């Protein structure tokens, strides 16, 4: 599980820069963008699994491309908002820095410490370390390496998001942005970096786009030798990768897909960060604290309003009817289930629509003779499994249909109980 912080910044940027109808066109792309999911994105301090993180950011990138917009410019807007503390979830940021507050007051270089703290603040990165730290005049050049255990797990093409995330660090600590931050090696392959926007072919050792040679096959050793890096894993020096010979941009939006001089398909990611040395501030957390106070008043109100409008627009109602005549349930006039499974769902929906209750105990249903006729062998768990199967659209032969889980689900999250998960406004009737 990883923090939802940067995904939350992404969601806030969507709410600020686009109309509710525009954002609705994004969330309607996939039924997994349900109301509960959108609420979780907005909740400070929440966590996401890697699959959900990738799902969100990949959909945002695809949506931007479909609109003819540059995702690099979208991320740049997030960074600029952080620079002026506009719409920053300040409490989440403060919470993430709490274990390190004293170090930022004691350091002589806040921006260097931000880089050194990356291994501790971003545990989803593995083998993170400073490869090189060089001083020249009043400037400092640091090279940071890190890995993803599963490249592309957080997002298909992560480097534009990683650069944005790391650039935000000094800005939130009342310190100027890094003068330059780029990647010189990435685990993302050359073809994955093109994101399907440009098509390349392999001709011998050359990578070509049309008649242009845009890349060359090589080994990771060339990257290490070029920057004079020491590398402990000797076998990784022979890993094949591609060095880009020119920048490649998306022809429609101008988004930078491949960066000249960078190595793709490398065994690790390497960032090159240059900045003026020994920049510090007496109060690195002053603006964050001020932002927390400000958000208690009116600064957060427009964003909250946009979030509520989006949820309302998503809140399409669903009509569920229990038919007494044939002991069945229909959802939006389509038959869903009958007999005991229908009665289980009926009882659940009676309670939910009357009280809003979502947590239930198995024993409540086992005591109902209309559901479990044999109190010694109630067999309720298997009957509940049938309800869940109907909701998920699985018939007895295992064939999966559309189901109704875009409207509501049942989660067996603990022994002896389950949770009803509404994803839309539910109108329940008995006829």
């Amino acid at each position: 599980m990883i923090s939802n912080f940067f995904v939350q910044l992404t969601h806030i940027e969507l709410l600020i820069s686009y109309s509710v109808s525009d954002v609705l066109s994004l969330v309607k792309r996939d039924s997994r963008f349900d109301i509960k999911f959108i609420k979780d994105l907005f909740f400070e301090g929440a966590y996401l699994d890697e699959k959900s993180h990738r799902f969100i950011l990949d959909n945002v990138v695809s949506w931007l491309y479909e609109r003819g917009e540059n995702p690099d410019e979208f991320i740049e807007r997030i960074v600029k908002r952080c620079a002026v503390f506009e719409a920053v979830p300040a409490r989440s940021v403060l919470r993430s820095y709490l274990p390190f507050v004293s170090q930022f007051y004691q350091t002589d270089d806040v921006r260097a410490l931000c880089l050194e703290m990356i291994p501790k603040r971003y545990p989803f990165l593995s083998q993170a370390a400073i490869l090189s730290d060089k001083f020249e005049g009043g400037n400092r050049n640091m090279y940071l390496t890190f890995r993803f255990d599963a490249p592309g797990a957080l997002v298909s093409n992560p480097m534009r998001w990683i650069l944005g995330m790391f650039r935000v660090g000094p800005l939130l600590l009342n310190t100027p942005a890094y003068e330059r931050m780029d990647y010189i090696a990435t685990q993302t392959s050359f073809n994955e970096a093109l994101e399907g926007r440009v098509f390349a072919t392999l001709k011998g050792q050359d990578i070509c786009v049309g008649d242009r040679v845009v890349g060359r096959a090589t080994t990771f050793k060339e990257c290490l030798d070029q920057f004079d890096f020491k590398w402990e894993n000797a076998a990784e020096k022979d890993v094949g990768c591609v060095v880009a010979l020119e920048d490649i941009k998306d022809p429609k939006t101008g988004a930078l897909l491949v960066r000249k001089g960078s190595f793709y398909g490398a065994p690790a990611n390497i960032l090159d960060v240059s900045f003026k040395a020994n920049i510090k501030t007496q109060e690195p957390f002053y603006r964050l604290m001020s932002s927390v106070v400000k958000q208690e008043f009116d600064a957060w109100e427009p964003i909250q309003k946009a979030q509520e409008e989006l949820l309302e627009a998503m809140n399409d109602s669903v009509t569920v009817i229990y038919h007494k005549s044939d002991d069945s349930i229909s959802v939006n006039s389509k038959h869903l289930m009958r007999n005991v499974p229908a009665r289980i769902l009926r009882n659940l929906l009676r309670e939910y629509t009357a009280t809003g209750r979502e947590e239930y105990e198995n024993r409540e249903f086992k005591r109902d003779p209309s559901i479990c006729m044999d109190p010694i062998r109630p067999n309720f768990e298997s009957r509940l499994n049938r309800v869940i199967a109907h909701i998920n659209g699985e018939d007895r032969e295992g064939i999966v249909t559309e189901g109704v889980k875009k409207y509501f689900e049942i989660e067996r999250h603990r022994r002896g109980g389950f949770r009803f998960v509404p994803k839309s406004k539910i109108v329940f009737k008995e006829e």
Side-chain angles (χ1 to χ4, degrees), residues 322-323 326-329 335-344 390:
Y322 172 70
H323 303 275
D326 63 352
D327 195 18
S328 70
I329 278 185
H335 172 77
L336 179 64
M337 62 183 80
R338 60 166 39 94
N339 301 327
V340 173
R343 280 174 243 147
I344 293 173
H390 283 298

Side-chain angles (χ1 to χ4, degrees), residues 53-109:
H53 199 282
R54 173 177 175 141
F55 164 72
I56 295 164
L57 296 187
D58 279 0
N59 267 280
V60 169
V61 170
S62 296
W63 180 76
L64 290 168
Y65 277 139
E66 289 170 8
R67 293 171 58 87
E69 297 185 35
N70 185 336
D72 296 334
E73 293 176 358
F74 178 90
I75 294 172
E76 190 61 31
R77 292 202 302 269
I78 295 176
V79 174
K80 288 180 178 178
R81 290 193 196 281
C82 290
V84 296
F85 279 73
E86 179 186 359
V88 173
R91 281 179 292 270
S92 290
V93 179
L94 276 174
R95 196 179 298 115
S96 72
Y97 276 113
L98 280 178
F100 318 109
V101 168
S102 61
Q103 296 176 60
F104 280 100
Y105 278 104
Q106 296 167 8
T107 184
D108 291 325
D109 196 327

Side-chain angles (χ1 to χ4, degrees), residues 16-145:
I16 292 175
S17 293
Y18 301 92
S19 68
V20 170
S21 60
D22 283 338
V23 182
L24 196 61
S25 70
L26 167 61
V27 301
K28 290 291 187 181
R29 289 167 59 96
D30 194 297
S31 61
R32 285 173 287 181
F33 277 120
D34 56 46
I35 288 176
K36 183 179 182 299
F37 197 72
I38 296 301
K39 285 181 177 179
D40 288 345
L41 292 185
F42 200 66
F43 185 73
E44 289 191 6
Y47 287 83
L48 295 169
D49 57 66
E50 291 181 346
K51 186 177 179 181
S52 297
H53 199 282
R54 173 177 175 141
F55 164 72
I56 295 164
L57 296 187
D58 279 0
N59 267 280
V60 169
V61 170
S62 296
W63 180 76
L64 290 168
Y65 277 139
E66 289 170 8
R67 293 171 58 87
E69 297 185 35
N70 185 336
D72 296 334
E73 293 176 358
F74 178 90
I75 294 172
E76 190 61 31
R77 292 202 302 269
I78 295 176
V79 174
K80 288 180 178 178
R81 290 193 196 281
C82 290
V84 296
F85 279 73
E86 179 186 359
V88 173
R91 281 179 292 270
S92 290
V93 179
L94 276 174
R95 196 179 298 115
S96 72
Y97 276 113
L98 280 178
F100 318 109
V101 168
S102 61
Q103 296 176 60
F104 280 100
Y105 278 104
Q106 296 167 8
T107 184
D108 291 325
D109 196 327
V110 169
R111 295 190 290 183
L113 184 57
C114 282
L115 293 175
E116 293 165 1
M117 283 293 171
I118 283 174
K120 297 178 181 178
R121 295 193 63 238
Y122 299 99
F124 58 86
L125 304 177
S126 64
Q127 300 183 47
I130 302 299
L131 271 181
S132 173
D133 187 359
K134 299 178 180 178
F135 292 83
E136 186 173 341
N139 297 316
R140 193 168 184 174
N141 190 194
M142 297 178 73
Y143 291 90
L144 172 72
T145 182

Side-chain angles (χ1 to χ4, degrees), residues 76-265:
E76 190 61 31
R77 292 202 302 269
I78 295 176
V79 174
K80 288 180 178 178
R81 290 193 196 281
C82 290
V84 296
F85 279 73
E86 179 186 359
V88 173
R91 281 179 292 270
S92 290
V93 179
L94 276 174
R95 196 179 298 115
S96 72
Y97 276 113
L98 280 178
F100 318 109
V101 168
S102 61
Q103 296 176 60
F104 280 100
Y105 278 104
Q106 296 167 8
T107 184
D108 291 325
D109 196 327
V110 169
R111 295 190 290 183
L113 184 57
C114 282
L115 293 175
E116 293 165 1
M117 283 293 171
I118 283 174
K120 297 178 181 178
R121 295 193 63 238
Y122 299 99
F124 58 86
L125 304 177
S126 64
Q127 300 183 47
I130 302 299
L131 271 181
S132 173
D133 187 359
K134 299 178 180 178
F135 292 83
E136 186 173 341
N139 297 316
R140 193 168 184 174
N141 190 194
M142 297 178 73
Y143 291 90
L144 172 72
T145 182
F146 58 91
R147 304 179 189 220
F148 300 109
D149 290 333
L154 298 179
V155 59
S156 295
N157 190 4
M159 295 314 293
R160 61 159 61 97
W161 298 97
I162 287 291
L163 291 175
M165 189 185 303
F166 291 172
R167 287 167 59 207
V168 159
L171 302 176
L172 297 177
L173 295 176
N174 204 22
T175 311
Y178 296 111
E179 276 71 22
R180 181 174 61 82
M181 178 184 284
D182 279 310
Y183 63 93
I184 60 174
T186 172
Q187 290 175 276
T188 306
S189 72
F190 194 88
N191 195 50
E192 287 171 333
L194 294 176
E195 296 181 319
R197 309 296 293 179
V198 174
F199 296 95
T201 57
L202 178 64
K203 297 180 180 179
Q205 295 296 301
D206 295 331
I207 310 296
C208 301
V209 172
D211 294 330
R212 296 179 3 248
V213 177
V214 297
R216 171 175 51 80
T218 183
T219 64
F220 187 48
K221 183 177 184 299
E222 181 178 340
C223 174
L224 301 176
D225 290 346
Q226 181 178 330
F227 294 92
D228 195 26
F229 293 142
K230 295 180 180 179
W231 203 257
E232 291 185 3
N233 190 332
E236 289 183 340
K237 296 179 180 180
D238 296 325
V239 170
C241 51
V242 172
V243 59
L245 302 179
E246 62 177 73
D247 287 344
I248 302 178
K249 295 184 177 182
D250 174 38
K252 292 185 178 179
T253 67
L256 182 64
L257 305 173
V258 166
R259 179 180 172 273
K260 181 180 179 180
S262 294
F263 292 77
Y264 293 84

